């Protein structure tokens, strides 16, 4: 019986340790995200290409030279005539994505 409880306890500890996301948290507790990872997770690449070169959506390789951070954020949040808005809802992920795209000049 003790072996079963010990094994169950050990398994629970491993499970709880595995539940951590591995991402650092900022001062407000929001996870910091990598903009490129958000780009891939939100499937932006399906229209804008794996390397931002554009596919059915426009080329984003130099989007930071064309649009300000605020314009990029508004486009992602509100969408356009052909792009749906709200694909990235988490504020920390949105910030990371906007910052990453704004750096593409």
């Amino acid at each position: 019986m003790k072996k079963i409880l010990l094994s169950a306890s050990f398994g629970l500890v491993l499970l709880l340790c595995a539940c951590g996301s591995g991402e650092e948290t900022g001062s407000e507790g929001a996870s910091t995200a990598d903009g490129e990872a958000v780009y891939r997770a939100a499937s932006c690449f399906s229209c804008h290409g794996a390397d931002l070169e554009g596919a059915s959506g426009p080329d984003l390789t130099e989007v930071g030279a064309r649009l300000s951070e605020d314009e990029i954020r508004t486009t992602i949040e509100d969408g356009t005539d052909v792009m749906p808005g709200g694909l990235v809802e988490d504020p920390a992920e949105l910030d990371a994505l906007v910052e990453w795209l704004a750096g593409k000049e």
Side-chain angles (χ1 to χ4, degrees), residues 24-98:
E24 297 178 16
T25 56
S27 60
E28 297 177 6
S31 65
T32 57
D34 174 29
E36 185 174 5
V38 175
Y39 178 83
R40 298 200 184 287
S43 298
C44 304
F45 66 88
S46 64
C47 294
H48 297 287
D51 295 321
L52 306 172
E53 72 279 0
S56 61
D59 181 319
L60 298 178
T61 55
E62 297 179 354
V63 68
R66 296 189 318 267
L67 301 174
S68 70
E69 281 194 28
D70 288 338
E71 291 169 321
I72 294 169
R73 180 180 307 279
T74 299
T75 301
I76 294 168
E77 289 178 329
D78 298 342
T80 66
D81 291 339
V82 293
M83 182 182 120
L87 295 176
V88 179
E89 296 177 354
D90 180 86
E93 291 180 350
L94 180 60
D95 289 345
L97 180 59
V98 168

Side-chain angles (χ1 to χ4, degrees), residues 9-32:
S9 296
F10 183 69
L12 183 60
V13 169
L14 288 178
L15 178 66
L16 291 174
C17 289
C19 288
S21 67
E23 296 179 352
E24 297 178 16
T25 56
S27 60
E28 297 177 6
S31 65
T32 57

